[in-house]
Amino acid sequence: MEAAEQNKLIEQHPILADLKEAKEIVWINPDKVITAEGLARSSLGMADIDDAEARLKRFAPFIERCFPETRERHGLIESLLKPIPGMKARINERYGSNLKGDLLLKMDSHLAIAGSVKARGGIYEVLKHTEDLALEHGLLKEGDSYAKLADPKCREFFSQYKIQVGSTGNLGMSIGIMSAAVGFTVIVHMSADAKQWKKDLLRSHGVTVMEYESDYSEAVKNGRKLSDEDPKSYFVDDENSKDLFLGYAVAAKRLAEQLEEQKIKVDQDHPLFVYIPCGVGGAPGGVTFGLKEVFGDAVHCFFAEPVQAPCMALGMISGLHNKISVQDMGLTGLTAADGLAVGRPSGFVGGVMAPLLSGEFTVDDAMLYEYMRDLLDTEEVLLEPSACAGFQGPVKLFVTEAANAYLKEQRLDEKMEHASHIVWATGGSLVPETMREEYKNTF
Ligand SMILES: *Cc1c(COP(=O)(O)O)cnc(C)c1O
C-alpha cells in the first residue's frame, strides 16, 4: 500500500497511527448496535447453532469410542470454566487494573483431543463432512449409533477421501487428529510460523505436513488450490467456513449451562465481559456470535491480537476487512503467538462482527509471557503464548479512557461490582514439556 493511502486511512481513523507503529491499542467499536438488530443482519441464527450442537451429540458415541479421554463426558468435548481469583488479585496489584467483579478462565486450552479452541470448530467441520459422506453412501441409517463409523469397513471407505487445510498450527492439529481418527487421508499446509512440535505431533498421527516459507495466507492459498484439483479432496476453509464458525458458536450454549451450574448470573444488571484471542477470526467470531445469541446485550465481547498482527482490528477499524493486510500498514505479521500470526482477517467474520463486537485491543509479545507466568504463579495453569492475549482486556480495559467511556455510555459503570469477566484460554495443554521450560524462561 502506498504511503499516501496509508496516510489517508490514518486521517480517517487516527487510532491506526498507533496500530501502524505497533503500539498497544484499545479500540471501542463505534458500529456496534443493539444485539437483536446486529444478529438480524447475519444469515446465520440460533437454529444453525442448535443444529451444530445436535450433530456433535450424534457424534458423541463415535468420539467416545475413538478417544478414551472423552469417556468421562461421554464423547462431548468441553472445557472447565475456572474462577481465578488469584490472577485477579495479581492483575490489580501488578498492573494497577482496577478490575471489579469475578475473573474466570474458560479453559479451551485443555479441551480433549486438540488442546485448543480448534477442538470446537475444526473437529466439528470434519465430523459434518463425515456425516455428509456417510449418509450419501448409505453408511448410516436412521437410528444407527454413530459409534459404528469407527468400524474398520467404514474407515476403509473414508480412506479414499482427503481432507486438506492451511494452518498456523492448532487448526491443523484438530483437523489432522480427527480426520486421521475417521480414516481420511490428511494434508496440513503449514505456514512458517508453525511450531516444530506441532508439525512433529501431526506427523506422528500419520498426517502429511507441507511446510511453507511464507505466511499463513500463502499456505491456505496453495492448500485450497491442491484440494480443488482433486475431486475426492475436501478443503477446510478457515477464512470463510460457516461450519467452523458454527462449531465454535456451540461453546456459548455450553457456557450458559456452566454459568448456571456455578450460579453466576448474566443479565442486564450482571454484565458478562469476554476476552478472546483472535487470529483469522473464526474461533473468536463464532464464540462471540453464539454468546450474543444466548446472552444478547448482557454480554460484551472483545478480541485480543498481537501488535504485529492485528489483522481483525485493522479490518474492522478501516472497514476494509479482508481487503487490507497488516503488511499493508508496514507491520511484519510476525509474533511469538503462532496461533494469532495472521496478516489478513476473514471477511466473512469481520462482516458478522461489525455490529456485534464491543471492541479490540492489541498486546505486545513480551506481555504474553508476563501473563503466562502470572497465571502459572497464581493459578498453576500453563497456557501457550497466543492463549494469554485475552488477559490484556482485564489488565488494560478499565484504566483506559476509551473503555471507560464505553462503560458510561452503556450504563455499566454502576454495575461492575456484579460483572463477570471471562478470559478465553485458547490453547496450551499439548505443549511438550521441553517447550514449557522454554516458555517459562522467554523474555
Ligand atoms: C487459532 C487460535 C486462536 C484464534 O482463532 P482464529 O480462528 O484464528 O481467529 C486463538 N488462540 C489459539 C491458541 C489458536 O490456536
Side-chain angles (χ1 to χ4, degrees), residues 371-390:
Y371 300 150
M372 174 187 291
R373 284 187 283 263
D374 286 329
L375 188 69
L376 193 59
D377 252 15
T378 57
E379 307 286 348
E380 289 172 36
V381 176
L382 182 77
L383 303 180
E384 60 184 274
S386 299
C388 297

Side-chain angles (χ1 to χ4, degrees), residues 116-118 168 170-171 238 248 277-284 339-340 342 384 386-387 426-427:
S116 82
V117 68
K118 304 296 193 309
T168 59
N170 286 340
L171 184 65
D238 198 13
Y248 291 121
C278 179
V280 74
L340 315 180
V342 179
E384 60 184 274
S386 299
T426 44

Side-chain angles (χ1 to χ4, degrees), residues 157-369:
F157 166 81
F158 289 119
S159 70
Q160 54 178 317
Y161 293 93
K162 225 182 252 165
I163 305 248
Q164 305 198 49
V165 63
S167 172
T168 59
N170 286 340
L171 184 65
M173 292 212 293
S174 92
I175 304 261
I177 295 172
M178 185 48 82
S179 300
V182 175
F184 290 121
T185 306
V186 199
I187 304 176
V188 177
H189 302 265
M190 278 186 149
S191 57
D193 310 282
K195 300 273 186 267
Q196 188 60 40
W197 68 267
K198 294 184 180 176
K199 297 177 196 165
D200 295 343
L201 186 81
L202 272 175
R203 289 189 171 121
S204 79
H205 282 265
V207 171
T208 302
V209 177
M210 290 186 61
E211 301 179 51
Y212 295 82
E213 292 298 323
S214 50
D215 80 346
Y216 167 79
S217 304
E218 209 49 42
V220 170
K221 205 159 111 194
N222 203 51
R224 182 185 287 124
K225 181 170 158 284
L226 287 178
S227 187
D228 288 350
E229 288 165 4
D230 180 349
K232 286 202 162 170
S233 176
Y234 179 84
F235 184 70
V236 177
D237 184 349
D238 198 13
E239 290 168 342
N240 300 296
S241 168
K242 308 230 159 40
D243 289 330
L244 267 180
F245 189 79
L246 291 169
Y248 291 121
V250 171
K253 296 188 72 178
R254 308 253 185 92
L255 182 74
E257 286 168 23
Q258 290 181 322
L259 287 166
E260 208 171 302
E261 276 163 26
Q262 298 187 24
K263 305 208 169 8
I264 298 169
K265 275 197 214 158
V266 179
D267 57 32
Q268 210 188 340
D269 297 316
H270 301 80
L272 174 64
F273 289 77
V274 182
Y275 313 96
I276 321 177
C278 179
V280 74
V287 170
T288 294
F289 182 74
L291 290 170
K292 296 304 281 183
E293 282 282 357
V294 173
F295 297 108
D297 293 320
V299 68
H300 306 267
C301 300
F302 294 85
F303 290 175
E305 295 181 286
V307 291
Q308 285 291 350
C311 65
M312 187 60 74
L314 177 60
M316 290 190 71
I317 293 167
S318 65
L320 294 173
H321 299 296
N322 60 342
K323 305 281 186 317
I324 190 166
S325 74
V326 300
Q327 286 80 7
D328 286 333
M329 293 304 275
L331 295 170
T332 62
L334 300 177
T335 165
D338 55 329
L340 315 180
V342 179
R344 191 183 293 277
S346 159
F348 155 62
V349 173
V352 177
M353 286 298 106
L356 296 172
L357 193 70
S358 291
E360 281 246 14
F361 36 81
T362 62
V363 52
D364 263 331
D365 275 18
M367 291 313 296
L368 299 177
Y369 289 92

Side-chain angles (χ1 to χ4, degrees), residues 62 65-66 139-140 144-159 181-183:
F62 169 80
R65 183 170 166 194
C66 295
L139 264 58
L140 282 173
D144 275 354
S145 164
Y146 280 31
K148 184 181 158 188
L149 294 174
D151 291 348
K153 84 171 191 345
C154 291
R155 287 184 54 84
E156 199 185 308
F157 166 81
F158 289 119
S159 70
V182 175

